[in-house]
Amino acid sequence: MSLPSSTQAAGLEAVFHALRPELERRARAMGAADEAEDVLQDVWIRVQGSRGPIANPRAYLFRMVYTGVLDRRRGRLRTSAREAAWVRDAASAVDPATSAEAERALIARETLAAVEARLEALGDPAAMIFRRHRLDGHTQRRIAEDLRMGLSTVEKHLRRAYAALLGLEGDRA
Amino acid sequence: MTDTSHPVERAALDWLVRVNDPAFDAWDDWQAWLDQDPLNATVYWRLATAEAEIVDAMAAPSRRSGLRPAREARRRSSRMWLTAAAAVLVAALFGIGWYGLMRPQPWLVETAPGEQRALELADGTIVHVAGGTRLRLDRRDPRTATLESGRALFEVAHDDRRPFVVEVGEVAVTDLGTVFDVTRLPDGARVTVSEGVVRVDLKGRAATLNAGDGVIARERGFERRTVAPAAVDAWRDGRLAYDNERMEVIATDLSIALGQPVSVAPELTDRRISGSLSVSGAPESVRRRLELSLDAKVTNNGAGWRIEPRAVP
């Protein structure tokens, strides 16, 4: 790439400013409600730190908003899970600090082991496609080209992997 | 199992697979789908948050390696996956420690409306107790429990020599190696099985249930049900899942989940409902989602809920 990254980043910043009202509207539509401002603030910080050429800045910014909203939802889930756990610990009056923390760490590890096992049980190519797509960040088109598969086949494998990981057992589509 | 997932879940999964592609650019279509029905958004975000947690957990380098004791991991993983509902998995990742946190102190376990508790019995059996439930336990005999009212999910530590028995009024539920859910109904009991085998006895009549089977046991007879094993414990994260269930039975579940009485207009008691109902959130949004899911008019006067036919426009 010939353009220095600062120029590209500046370009993205300009697009951000131009699209700001729309980005905020989208954050609200995604359910961010009164946190929409905060989501945009996060996006702005990430825009400033972003490097490299961006083919479609508009879609790129929409994705950043989406990720920001998703992260906030996840944060809320964690908070309420922590609070619920705290209430339970307090109610149980059983040495909460040590046993509960250790237990939770164990559960987290084993949940992960179960997740990995689920993926392995599914086998390749679905497991491999899922890892490339979600862990390595390859686009579905690129994976399709590499594996000489149709895009819809890649999508189908991904769908199976998601259904397995999310425990949507009945899913056959 | 055949295809039992909710159409909204299938659609949400389709969207999630597409949205997660870095090249995705159909944001308008996606938003339009979310806006179509509050249920769409609820289901979509539930799946999206759970999937994101899973991906993050898998990507964390400290967790990617390291062998776990195989037997322990296997035992736990089967336990984990009976809770397959993804939101429950998120809870597991982030700290609702269900197991071992609560040693059984009381003889009578009583939960407030809306409260949920998990108990580990001396034999290793885990009981998840729904809100508004009374469950009697015998500390000297950890292999029996009496469900006096409400609902509970049992993950039984199986012992061939000493079956685990849950008594629900006249109904006796005997575990033959298993995870099952028991709900006390006004005139009987409902039992659904997500793992293993359970026998249900009522006055000389008996039914044997395998994973995915359910039964409503009443004196006048047994009604069979088929359930998605993964949906058996969905109530623990505020979802009630049904395959062609009668409104009357759903109302009982709702009253446990919402912590308030739920009545049904007589002309609706036998209407059949399929799908998943979300009962968490602000009362008004619960009410609206119920109206959509049940295709009925739902009102809440603060002290109780009423389900009635939709007014004809």
Side-chain angles (χ1 to χ4, degrees):
Chain A
M1 283 294 136
S2 54
L3 287 173
S5 61
S6 61
T7 306
Q8 289 156 356
L12 188 62
E13 285 174 21
V15 179
F16 175 88
H17 286 303
L19 289 181
R20 201 177 194 293
E22 183 178 1
L23 295 176
E24 189 174 333
R25 194 166 46 74
R26 284 189 183 262
R28 283 185 200 285
M30 290 179 204
D34 45 354
E35 289 186 327
E37 272 294 324
D38 300 334
V39 169
L40 279 228
Q41 190 57 37
D42 293 349
V43 170
W44 172 238
I45 289 165
R46 283 167 55 213
V47 161
Q48 290 174 308
S50 114
R51 296 277 173 276
I54 289 143
N56 183 345
R58 188 181 150 89
Y60 183 82
L61 289 171
F62 288 173
R63 172 165 306 281
M64 279 186 158
V65 170
Y66 171 82
T67 309
V69 172
L70 184 64
D71 285 349
R72 281 185 182 262
R73 286 178 181 273
R74 293 169 64 188
R76 277 204 302 275
L77 269 181
R78 289 178 202 202
T79 307
S80 53
R82 263 199 304 276
E83 282 166 0
W86 186 85
V87 169
R88 281 157 211 238
D89 292 346
S92 72
V94 179
D95 195 16
T98 52
S99 68
E101 280 309 318
E103 184 77 11
R104 268 182 227 135
L106 189 71
I107 289 170
R109 272 205 312 280
E110 288 171 354
T111 304
L112 181 65
V115 165
E116 303 260 13
R118 264 286 153 119
L119 201 53
E120 292 320 313
L122 201 60
D124 288 335
M128 178 266 286
I129 290 174
F130 179 83
R131 285 179 195 282
R132 281 190 61 174
H133 182 53
R134 297 297 285 142
L135 299 179
D136 305 333
H138 296 176
T139 63
Q140 295 173 14
R141 175 164 302 283
R142 178 174 161 194
I143 294 170
E145 282 164 6
D146 286 357
L147 299 180
R148 296 190 178 159
M149 281 177 179
L151 200 53
S152 65
T153 310
V154 168
E155 217 171 73
K156 198 188 77 198
H157 285 303
L158 282 171
R159 204 179 186 294
R160 282 181 60 223
Y162 278 50
L165 289 174
L166 293 170
L168 301 177
E169 289 294 32
D171 206 282
R172 286 282 179 279
Chain B
M1 292 300 298
T2 48
D3 195 335
T4 52
S5 59
H6 192 283
V8 174
E9 282 187 339
R10 288 202 295 274
L13 199 57
D14 282 336
W15 276 115
L16 185 57
V17 168
R18 294 184 60 198
V19 168
N20 276 341
D21 189 357
F24 177 75
D25 192 22
W27 295 102
D28 290 338
D29 297 342
W30 171 76
Q31 187 67 54
W33 177 79
L34 284 188
D35 292 344
Q36 247 170 44
D37 183 335
L39 209 55
N40 291 358
T42 307
V43 172
Y44 179 87
W45 291 110
R46 175 165 57 76
L47 298 183
T49 47
E51 199 265 353
E53 296 297 347
I54 290 169
V55 169
D56 275 8
M58 291 174 79
S62 63
R63 290 174 171 180
R64 264 195 117 163
S65 60
L67 295 171
R68 277 157 290 276
R71 216 187 54 202
E72 176 69 3
R74 202 165 49 239
R75 194 174 70 79
R76 288 284 188 153
S77 74
S78 69
R79 187 185 279 172
M80 274 303 159
W81 284 105
L82 75 94
T83 66
V88 175
L89 196 148
V90 171
L93 281 168
F94 293 98
I96 301 186
W98 306 312
Y99 314 118
L101 300 185
M102 314 269 301
R103 302 284 180 271
Q105 301 298 330
W107 301 87
L108 179 70
V109 177
E110 209 166 353
T111 52
E115 187 194 3
Q116 279 188 26
R117 279 170 71 183
L119 313 162
E120 182 160 1
L121 308 186
D123 64 346
T125 292
I126 293 158
V127 189
H128 303 273
V129 185
T133 293
R134 284 165 63 93
L135 181 72
R136 193 170 288 283
L137 298 164
D138 182 348
R139 210 178 305 168
R140 287 184 159 176
D141 177 9
R143 304 297 286 179
T144 62
T146 306
L147 185 66
E148 297 188 347
S149 66
R151 179 171 200 170
L153 178 86
F154 294 85
E155 295 179 48
V156 172
H158 185 63
D159 182 345
D160 277 329
R161 291 160 304 167
R162 292 191 309 153
F164 193 98
V165 180
V166 183
E167 290 181 359
V168 196
E170 302 276 354
V171 180
V173 184
T174 307
D175 135 74
L176 308 169
T178 271
V179 181
F180 57 94
D181 181 70
V182 184
T183 307
R184 177 134 202 193
L185 302 175
D187 55 348
R190 177 189 49 198
V191 182
T192 49
V193 179
S194 76
E195 249 182 55
V197 186
V198 162
R199 198 182 69 223
V200 179
D201 285 284
L202 173 58
K203 295 195 168 167
R205 199 192 297 257
T208 303
L209 310 182
N210 294 299
D213 291 339
V215 73
I216 292 181
R218 294 185 167 109
E219 286 208 21
R220 63 172 184 267
F222 283 20
E223 276 178 66
R224 286 277 189 171
R225 290 286 185 279
T226 304
V227 298
V232 168
D233 77 331
W235 60 263
R236 290 199 294 132
D237 59 289
R239 282 188 309 127
L240 303 170
Y242 300 101
D243 180 20
N244 213 22
E245 185 53 86
R246 279 212 325 278
M247 188 78 92
E248 192 184 15
V249 175
I250 292 173
T252 302
D253 289 341
L254 285 173
S255 65
I256 293 170
L258 297 167
Q260 288 187 330
V262 177
S263 65
V264 182
E267 55 269 51
L268 287 186
T269 50
D270 287 323
R271 179 190 283 186
R272 301 276 176 165
I273 304 290
S274 294
S276 93
L277 313 180
S278 168
V279 290
S280 51
E284 177 54 21
S285 72
V286 169
R287 194 192 64 75
R288 281 198 46 204
R289 284 202 303 273
L290 286 177
E291 287 201 327
L292 280 164
S293 309
L294 301 175
D295 189 28
K297 183 179 163 209
V298 178
T299 50
N300 176 13
N301 67 6
W305 298 69
R306 175 81 178 160
I307 303 172
E308 288 170 303
R310 217 179 218 177
V312 182

